[in-house]
């Protein structure tokens, strides 16, 4: 039984990371209807900036965490300003390919630095011994990661519910012309959506880096795995991203915990999200909490 | 039609049959024939090293694959981020024959043309299956559905011992009427085979686009509800576009397997899928000659970047691997620049150049 609960715990840990990573994608899609295929690269960039500031420059990790969030905030904002604003109204294939191309450019820039090929890990600042409770253990890094994730998601929800900027962002996602007519600058909101997405990506990158170590391939693969999560949750729902993130984490951990090694299966944790994704797309394409906007032929 | 069969001064079609001609004038036809003769003839006159021959063969295979992708993404407007998986289906069809009956069984070495066509049909079957979500999904959702097919394909190849866990599965040398195709002639021989396939399939697409089946693809891309009202079946058309693209990809995959004499997992990853999409976009989505420009441009860019990195690498510390950094960087830059400044691709430059030379020196 403790095996079962251990899987539940690690599923929630992985799932909350997915939720945070998916949040950035949802933010961008919600306001500007752009699916950002470069999200994984922004996550990796955030994590590496934090590492650089902490280890090479020597700033305390908490401050470098905040600094990298600020840097990716402006990075993502300028990406929107330079590349994506020209493509408003272009066909969806162009928008998708531009984000893929941007991801490839960031890939190249990261490969120029030593971060591209080697493994690093953040300095330890939490107790090493895991926290054990009734046979189920969770390490302090994981626990703090989950707590920070939920704090951040709570903060984002508050931001969207209460603050003026958040309300204008929701207004734009609801009806662009309506938002324009009450004096909201739609392009500025697009920029802000990208910027907040960059900010959350940096946070996600730091938390992933703390738990799994800094490896470029692992970090940028998160940019692809978030697609099953956001589709399950509904592409434009923040609540959906959180719920679906945790569900996906649980599914993944249960698959690799119970299916691997039986019936000659292996690595099912990697493929399960995509199988689930196909099933959702066939039967409930708008996801759990998404807006019904699917057109049928 | 005008009496002059060599030079066209305008459009004088009076029947549909005239409009469906492959070549507008006899001059076009003779130029094209000359071009084909040159393409088939030059390897007999010059001898290139195996390495450069391999590059050319590679480009030709990419052309076949990009033709398939252009059918589904360019003409039918359905985004496919899983094209390398379809190419992989073709290659692994050949590979699974090799695994079950041995890699130098007579079917593989003597009846390889049949096997290539069979691989195409396998690709078509998988294409139709993957295209089924297109009945309900559009745009981004469909793109993500094809992405998940790509990921599932990669997992199946990597974890099934039948496919050697993604390690190379060898394919035997083939026979031609003159006997076994040896090591020296291998790349030249496959150059001729792949070029023949490219010519046949290229004419195939060109003719397809003049029939109702090709036109219905474009109609569904432009407005599927209007197409429905005109009496086409958009759902069926979308599935059939995926099947058709799967056929091209399957043929490309089988050719890839034979050319490299082995099938390995790393040629059919998500990265390759993105590469095919980039080729289609750089060449020009929804144009036939874009299918030729795109692969040539991207592959040559790759080669140039590689040699540039090698040159610059001599002046840099050896710890920096410039090629791994420059390749994705230039690749991404080219995609972004083309989409921002020339979304219609190189095919548009070709169109401009052609209309310029046609009227020269009278520009107006």
């Amino acid at each position: 039984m403790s095996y079962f609960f251990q899987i539940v715990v690690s599923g929630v840990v992985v799932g909350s990371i997915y939720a945070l990573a998916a949040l950035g994608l949802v933010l961008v899609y919600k306001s500007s209807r752009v699916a950002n295929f470069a999200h994984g690269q922004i996550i990796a960039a955030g994590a590496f900036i934090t590492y650089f500031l902490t280890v090479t420059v020597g700033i305390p990790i908490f401050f470098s965490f905040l600094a990298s969030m600020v840097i990716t905030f402006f990075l993502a904002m300028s990406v929107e300003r330079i590349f994506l604003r020209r493509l408003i109204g272009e066909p969806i294939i162009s928008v998708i390919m531009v984000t893929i191309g941007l991801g490839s450019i960031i890939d190249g820039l990261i490969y120029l630095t030593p971060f591209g090929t080697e493994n690093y890990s953040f300095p330890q600042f939490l107790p090493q011994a895991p926290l054990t409770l009734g046979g189920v253990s969770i390490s302090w890094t994981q626990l703090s990661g989950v707590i920070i994730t939920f704090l951040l998601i709570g903060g984002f929800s508050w931001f969207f519910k209460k603050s003026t900027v958040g309300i204008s962002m929701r207004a734009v996602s609801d009806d662009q012309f309506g938002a324009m007519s009450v004096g909201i600058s739609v392009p500025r909101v697009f920029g802000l959506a990208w910027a907040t997405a960059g900010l959350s990506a940096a946070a996600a990158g730091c938390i992933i880096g703390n738990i799994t170590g800094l490896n470029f391939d692992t970090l940028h693969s998160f940019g692809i795995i978030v697609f099953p999560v956001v589709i399950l949750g509904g592409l434009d729902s923040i609540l959906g991203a959180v719920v679906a993130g945790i569900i996906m984490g649980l599914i993944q951990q249960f698959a690799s915990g119970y299916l691997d090694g039986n019936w000659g299966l292996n690595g099912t944790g990697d493929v399960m999200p995509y199988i689930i994704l196909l099933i959702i797309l066939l039967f409930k394409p708008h996801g759990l909490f998404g807006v019904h906007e699917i057109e049928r032929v | 039609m005008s009496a002059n069969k060599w030079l066209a001064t305008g459009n004088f079609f009076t029947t549909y049959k005239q409009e469906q001609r492959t070549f507008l004038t006899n001059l076009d036809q003779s130029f094209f024939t000359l071009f084909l003769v040159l393409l088939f003839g030059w390897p007999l006159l010059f001898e290139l090293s195996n390495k450069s021959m391999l590059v050319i063969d590679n480009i030709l295979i990419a052309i076949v694959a990009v033709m398939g992708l252009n059918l589904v993404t360019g003409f039918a407007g359905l985004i496919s981020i899983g094209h390398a998986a379809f190419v992989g289906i073709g290659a692994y069809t050949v590979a699974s024959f090799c695994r079950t009956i041995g890699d130098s069984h007579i079917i593989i070495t003597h009846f390889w043309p049949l096997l290539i066509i069979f691989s195409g049909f396998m690709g078509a079957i998988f294409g139709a299956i993957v295209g089924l979500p297109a009945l309900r999904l559009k745009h981004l959702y469909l793109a993500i559905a094809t992405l998940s097919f790509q990921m599932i394909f990669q997992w199946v190849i990597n974890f099934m011992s039948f496919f050697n866990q993604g390690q190379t599965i060898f394919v035997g040398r083939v026979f031609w009427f003159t006997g076994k195709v040896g090591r020296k002639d291998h790349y030249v021989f496959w150059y001729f085979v792949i070029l023949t396939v490219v010519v046949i399939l290229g004419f195939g697409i060109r003719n397809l686009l003049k029939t109702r089946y090709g036109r219905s693809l474009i109609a569904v891309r432009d407005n599927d509800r209007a197409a429905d009202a005109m009496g086409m079946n958009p759902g069926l058309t979308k599935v059939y576009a995926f099947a058709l693209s799967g056929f091209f990809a399957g043929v490309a995959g089988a050719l890839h397997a034979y050319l490299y004499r082995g099938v390995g997992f790393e040629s059919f990853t998500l990265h390759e899928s993105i590469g095919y999409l980039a080729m289609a976009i750089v060449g020009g989505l929804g144009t036939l000659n874009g299918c030729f420009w795109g692969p040539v441009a991207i592959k040559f860019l790759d080669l140039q970047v590689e040699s540039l990195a090698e040159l610059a690498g001599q002046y840099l510390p050896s710890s920096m691997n410039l090629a791994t950094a420059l390749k994705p960087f230039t690749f991404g830059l080219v995609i972004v620049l083309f989409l921002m400044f020339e979304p219609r691709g190189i095919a548009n430059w070709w169109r401009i150049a052609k209309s310029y030379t046609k009227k020269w020196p009278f520009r107006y």
Side-chain angles (χ1 to χ4, degrees):
Chain A
M1 206 58 192
S2 77
Y3 182 63
F4 176 82
F5 283 113
Q6 186 66 58
I7 288 178
V8 170
V9 166
S10 57
V12 171
V13 170
V14 174
S16 59
I17 296 171
Y18 284 165
L20 189 56
L23 188 67
L25 208 75
V26 170
L27 287 177
V28 170
Y29 188 82
K30 198 174 159 71
S31 67
S32 62
R33 296 282 176 259
V34 171
N36 181 9
F37 277 76
H39 198 61
Q41 278 81 359
I42 300 178
I43 289 176
F48 290 138
I49 291 169
T50 313
Y51 181 86
F52 178 77
L53 290 177
T54 317
V55 177
T56 319
V57 181
I59 303 170
I61 188 157
F62 181 69
F63 291 108
S64 56
F65 180 62
L66 291 181
S68 85
M69 273 159 67
V70 172
I71 293 171
T72 46
F73 182 90
F74 287 108
L75 181 81
M77 201 180 209
S78 51
V79 161
E80 196 276 340
R81 184 70 194 82
I82 299 167
F83 298 104
L84 281 134
R85 191 156 307 172
R86 290 163 176 274
L87 290 166
I88 292 175
E90 292 280 320
I92 186 162
I93 171 87
S94 311
V95 179
I96 288 180
M97 277 313 282
V98 161
T99 60
I100 289 175
L102 281 172
S104 195
I105 291 177
I106 301 175
D107 267 354
L109 291 178
I110 290 177
Y111 278 125
L112 268 183
T113 65
F115 291 118
T117 40
E118 281 163 46
N119 292 316
Y120 296 89
S121 54
F122 279 115
Q124 293 293 332
F125 58 96
L126 288 166
Q128 291 287 321
L131 191 69
T132 311
L133 205 80
V136 179
S137 68
I138 177 170
S139 75
W140 281 101
T141 32
Q142 288 177 331
L143 189 63
S144 62
V146 172
I147 290 170
I148 295 173
T149 303
F150 278 99
L151 283 179
L152 279 168
I153 290 173
F156 275 114
S157 314
W158 176 84
F159 173 73
F160 281 106
K161 278 270 183 306
K162 300 288 177 196
S163 74
T164 320
V165 180
I167 290 170
S168 65
M169 283 165 87
R170 279 195 297 146
V172 168
S173 83
D174 213 35
D175 185 345
Q176 286 191 8
F177 283 101
M180 264 189 245
S181 68
V182 294
I184 296 168
S185 161
V186 173
R188 211 179 119 237
V189 167
F190 286 178
L192 272 174
W194 272 83
T196 38
L199 193 146
S200 75
C206 293
I207 291 167
I208 298 164
N210 252 319
I211 292 174
T212 65
L214 288 167
N215 176 284
F216 183 50
D217 287 335
T218 321
L219 282 167
H220 87 175
S221 71
F222 272 83
I224 298 296
I225 196 90
V226 291
F227 279 102
V229 175
V230 292
I231 292 284
L232 174 61
L235 262 167
D236 47 10
S237 159
I238 294 177
L239 175 69
V242 177
V243 174
I246 289 172
I247 292 175
M248 216 42 115
L250 286 172
I251 287 171
Q252 212 179 24
Q253 294 301 316
F254 272 106
S256 52
Y258 282 102
L259 291 179
D260 279 6
N262 304 334
W263 310 292
L265 287 170
N266 219 335
T268 41
D270 297 333
V271 76
M272 231 7 152
Y274 298 101
I275 295 172
I276 303 274
L277 170 65
L278 269 188
I279 295 168
I280 305 160
L281 281 175
L282 278 175
F283 295 106
K284 198 168 162 50
H286 43 78
L288 295 175
F289 300 94
V291 179
H292 297 233
E293 55 154 352
I294 303 293
E295 287 177 66
R296 302 244 169 82
V297 181
Chain B
M1 190 163 179
S2 65
N4 191 342
K5 284 196 167 176
W6 286 90
L7 282 169
T9 48
N11 185 337
F12 298 103
F13 301 135
T14 47
T15 60
Y16 284 117
K17 192 120 186 108
Q18 285 172 355
E19 204 203 349
Q20 284 176 352
R21 274 165 56 105
T22 310
F23 296 102
L24 189 61
T25 58
N26 291 1
L27 195 68
D28 285 354
Q29 191 168 12
S30 19
F31 267 127
F32 191 78
T33 317
L34 189 71
F35 180 61
L36 275 190
V37 168
L38 279 178
L39 274 184
F40 277 100
W42 72 262
L44 304 174
L45 304 175
F46 308 101
E47 212 166 295
L48 280 184
S49 67
N50 275 349
K51 206 178 152 197
S52 20
M53 215 56 207
L54 177 65
V55 171
I56 294 169
D57 291 355
N58 239 326
I59 290 173
L60 287 174
I61 288 178
I63 287 173
V64 176
V66 169
M67 277 177 186
L69 183 63
N70 227 334
L71 271 177
V72 75
T73 303
F75 291 111
L78 309 162
I79 306 166
S80 166
I81 318 187
H83 202 65
F86 292 121
V87 179
I89 297 277
Y92 274 97
T93 306
V94 177
S96 47
F97 268 90
C98 293
R99 291 288 276 188
T100 40
I101 56 177
D103 59 11
S104 32
H105 191 272
I106 190 161
I107 292 179
I108 288 157
T109 54
H110 286 67
F111 295 100
W112 51 268
L114 291 179
L115 198 54
I116 288 172
I117 293 168
F118 178 75
S119 307
F121 281 110
M122 284 304 284
I125 290 168
F126 274 90
I129 294 169
V130 176
L132 282 181
L135 292 174
R136 293 195 61 173
L137 304 172
K138 280 175 101 171
H139 305 317
L140 178 65
Y141 290 91
L142 185 62
I144 294 174
T146 55
L147 173 76
S148 69
F149 168 67
Q150 168 82 46
M151 301 313 266
I152 293 169
F153 169 80
Q154 287 184 19
W155 178 78
V156 168
I157 297 301
N158 265 329
F159 288 98
M160 268 180 75
S161 51
F162 179 71
F163 294 121
N164 207 3
Q165 256 108 15
Q167 303 296 309
T168 310
I169 298 168
F170 287 103
V171 179
R173 287 192 184 283
V174 297
F175 282 76
W176 185 238
F177 294 113
T178 50
K180 199 172 186 172
V181 177
R183 194 165 172 205
K184 228 176 108 225
D185 310 324
H186 182 74
Y187 294 108
V188 178
F189 172 74
W190 283 106
Y191 170 79
F192 287 123
V193 174
I194 302 167
L195 189 62
T196 317
V197 171
V198 167
V199 170
I200 293 171
L201 292 181
F203 272 108
I205 289 189
R206 206 184 156 109
N207 286 338
L208 176 81
L209 292 174
K210 290 180 177 176
T211 63
R212 55 176 296 201
Y213 300 103
R215 287 173 201 259
S216 69
L217 291 180
I218 295 169
V220 165
R221 173 192 69 185
D222 290 342
N223 191 336
D224 51 2
R225 287 178 189 173
D228 203 357
M230 298 287 284
M232 293 163 198
N233 187 343
L236 193 69
T237 309
K238 287 179 178 182
V239 174
Y240 136 82
F242 264 105
L244 208 58
S245 121
F247 178 83
F248 279 71
V251 170
L255 291 170
H256 185 280
Y258 274 116
L259 176 67
Y260 282 85
R261 297 188 48 239
V263 181
F265 147 80
E266 67 281 349
S267 313
F268 314 108
T269 54
L270 178 63
H271 186 247
E272 301 296 316
S273 282
I274 293 171
Y276 288 130
L277 261 181
M279 288 173 198
I281 284 174
V282 168
L285 275 178
T287 54
L288 179 56
N289 59 30
C291 305
F292 302 96
W293 298 118
V296 173
I298 293 278
K299 295 267 180 190
F300 267 101
L301 180 83
D302 233 28
L303 279 181
Q304 296 306 318
V305 167
E306 215 164 272
S307 52
L308 178 77
E310 215 165 272
L311 192 75
Q314 294 168 353
Y315 305 100
L316 285 170
S318 59
S319 61
M320 271 179 85
N321 195 348
L322 211 57
T324 50
L326 275 183
K327 259 189 182 173
F329 183 78
T330 45
F331 175 74
L333 200 66
V334 165
I335 299 175
V336 170
L337 290 179
F338 259 95
L339 281 170
M340 279 165 59
F341 299 109
E342 186 59 282
R344 281 181 288 181
I346 299 176
N348 196 36
W349 298 350
W350 173 249
R351 190 182 61 80
I352 292 167
K354 217 164 81 174
S355 66
Y356 183 83
T357 50
K358 211 175 197 172
K359 293 178 189 132
W360 187 88
F362 309 109
R363 289 180 67 189
Y364 297 105

